Amino acid sequence: MNVLEAVLTVISILTALVLVRVIIGPTIWDRLLGLNMISAKIIMSIIILAVLTERTYLMDVALAYSVLGFIGTILIARFVEKKGEF
Amino acid sequence: MKKITGYFSMIFIFTLIWIILNEKAGATQIVTGLILSIFSIFFANYYLLEEEYVDHYSLNIKSVIKYLVYLIFQIYKSGFSAIGKIIKKEYDVRISEYTSCLNDELSICLLANAITLTPGTVTIDKNGSKLKILSFEKDNIGTIAIDSETCSEFEKILGGIRE
Amino acid sequence: MNIIISNLLIFVSLGFMIFGIIGIFRFKDFYARILISSKVETVGFLTIMVGLMFRTGISYSTMKIMLICLLAIITNPLSTHAIARSAYLSGYKTGKEN
């Protein structure tokens, strides 16, 4: 088994553990923190996959995903802070 | 004159990013990159940003590199201390105020960014040059000593960030 | 040789990430969780990216990974700051047990 494949498996298990925090998290901010961590882990997995299979276009997907995850987190945080009004 | 150099460096950086995204440095890529970067700068100037921004955000390249190197060093140093905190399980937090000795908007924002990026401290609020900082009860704030009269190392570096 | 350094860095970053997950379950207070865990994540992210850069050598993909690193250094503290500020302005008290 390749090292990168093993690392990819471990990262998937860690993502599942963060998902547990998102489900049981008592406040909405815990869930947002979990969302942020999950998006960071997905970017890591995409880049590992790109290096493993030597397809460089997957890195563009990671770039776009990092921007979209950032905008989503900021948007939900602002929405909760203003109590639903913009 | 300063404005024109600002525009030229912006066009250069955008073209570089365009070449990296295309993974090829041929003549076609350079020409399309130049055209697209000039077009996007004009679009931003006419439709998105009404005020002059080139003078506000002009950076000194040397200070930016120094800032990045010092920042990465600090991130690793406090990453290890954060692991110690996880093992010892301290969770008393406090919110304290800190008045920075910088008075430039951009430098204060970069300082707040650096404070948030090092583990153990998060900037919550900014009002003028006063920052509200969330930190642990026991230690004095990670990268900046809160009671000291003199400026911290970050502020010394950021003091010269404007051209 | 490059492969050995890269493997070492990747394992170090996995250790950081595992500590981040432990931190997220060990602390009972939200502020303590956000102080520790998301930052340990940043350290793990940067380390694994440097490790993958050693694997790809000098090429365009290395520059793309550097671009992603720069973007992460800029946006990661901003989103942490947005979450903490949102909790603070909504009146979440420190030291409240869940």
Side-chain angles (χ1 to χ4, degrees):
Chain A
M1 199 174 179
N2 199 341
V3 177
L4 286 185
E5 288 173 10
V7 171
L8 213 53
T9 318
V10 174
I11 288 181
S12 328
I13 295 168
L14 292 181
T15 312
L17 284 175
V18 181
L19 197 60
V20 173
R21 181 83 252 175
V22 172
I23 291 168
I24 66 170
T27 61
I28 190 161
W29 302 293
D30 284 304
R31 297 190 169 117
L32 269 177
L33 182 63
L35 179 74
N36 203 6
M37 288 173 81
I38 286 178
S39 85
K41 283 194 173 40
I42 287 176
I43 295 165
M44 277 179 223
S45 335
I46 293 174
I47 293 176
I48 290 173
L49 206 62
V51 173
L52 188 65
T53 57
E54 295 179 351
R55 289 180 190 149
T56 44
Y57 63 84
L58 282 175
M59 285 175 191
D60 301 337
V61 179
L63 208 60
Y65 194 88
S66 73
V67 174
L68 282 182
F70 169 65
I71 291 176
T73 310
I74 295 281
L75 191 66
I76 301 173
R78 297 280 296 180
F79 189 74
V80 173
E81 179 190 319
K82 296 268 170 70
K83 305 225 167 33
E85 293 169 19
F86 257 96
Chain B
M1 191 62 213
K2 199 174 160 188
K3 217 162 140 185
I4 294 171
T5 23
Y7 282 131
F8 267 114
S9 55
M10 263 154 68
I11 289 172
F12 177 70
I13 292 171
F14 290 165
T15 313
L16 204 66
I17 292 176
W18 179 254
I19 287 172
I20 290 174
L21 286 180
N22 270 306
E23 302 186 3
K24 205 176 172 191
T28 327
Q29 277 80 23
I30 293 174
V31 171
T32 47
L34 286 176
I35 292 171
L36 279 178
S37 48
I38 291 170
F39 175 73
S40 56
I41 288 172
F42 271 114
F43 184 79
N45 279 350
Y46 279 107
Y47 293 103
L48 296 179
L49 299 165
E50 273 105 31
E51 292 175 20
E52 282 294 315
Y53 61 95
V54 177
D55 291 337
H56 290 280
Y57 297 109
S58 62
L59 296 172
N60 189 353
I61 299 290
K62 221 175 179 181
S63 304
V64 171
I65 292 171
K66 220 192 242 175
Y67 167 77
L68 277 180
V69 171
Y70 191 68
L71 182 65
I72 289 172
F73 173 69
Q74 284 291 338
I75 289 171
Y76 276 94
K77 190 177 142 199
S78 35
F80 284 107
S81 78
I83 286 180
K85 289 217 176 57
I86 290 173
I87 293 170
K88 273 187 285 179
K89 202 180 177 186
E90 308 172 16
Y91 56 86
D92 295 327
V93 292
R94 63 170 178 186
I95 293 171
S96 45
E97 270 202 12
Y98 176 74
T99 310
S100 166
C101 61
L102 301 165
N103 41 27
D104 176 36
E105 283 284 313
L106 178 65
S107 327
I108 293 171
C109 287
L110 284 175
L111 176 70
N113 203 342
I115 290 170
T116 308
L117 203 46
T118 48
T121 43
V122 169
T123 318
I124 289 180
D125 209 351
K126 170 183 168 298
N127 185 12
S129 64
K130 278 204 180 95
L131 299 173
K132 273 206 181 100
I133 295 174
L134 172 73
S135 70
F136 280 102
E137 188 80 54
K138 297 268 175 56
D139 50 336
N140 54 352
I141 291 177
T143 55
I144 47 173
I146 193 131
D147 296 322
S148 68
E149 291 291 316
T150 55
C151 295
S152 64
E153 196 64 33
F154 262 123
E155 290 169 325
K156 271 182 207 155
I157 291 174
L158 286 171
I161 208 161
R162 295 291 298 275
E163 271 177 312
Chain C
M1 189 62 202
N2 278 354
I3 300 287
I4 297 171
I5 297 175
S6 140
N7 283 348
L8 203 70
L9 285 174
I10 288 174
F11 283 130
V12 168
S13 86
L14 273 187
F16 273 118
M17 273 186 257
I18 289 169
F19 270 110
I21 304 288
I22 292 172
I24 221 175
F25 282 102
R26 205 167 151 88
F27 292 110
K28 291 277 176 279
D29 187 31
F30 163 70
Y31 281 139
R33 276 201 286 263
I34 200 169
L35 273 178
I36 286 293
S37 49
S38 73
K39 307 310 167 41
V40 179
E41 281 291 306
T42 312
V43 179
F45 190 88
L46 288 180
T47 316
I48 204 168
M49 290 303 147
V50 174
L52 289 174
M53 271 185 221
F54 269 104
R55 229 164 229 274
T56 51
I58 299 174
S59 62
Y60 280 111
S61 29
T62 314
M63 293 182 199
K64 267 188 193 174
I65 295 177
M66 272 164 97
L67 213 62
I68 293 172
C69 270
L70 206 62
L71 202 67
I73 288 183
I74 297 170
T75 60
N76 220 329
L78 280 178
S79 45
T80 310
H81 162 75
I83 297 169
R85 182 186 158 87
S86 162
Y88 177 69
L89 290 184
S90 306
Y92 188 89
K93 295 281 188 300
T94 52
K96 194 170 79 178
E97 294 285 320
N98 55 357

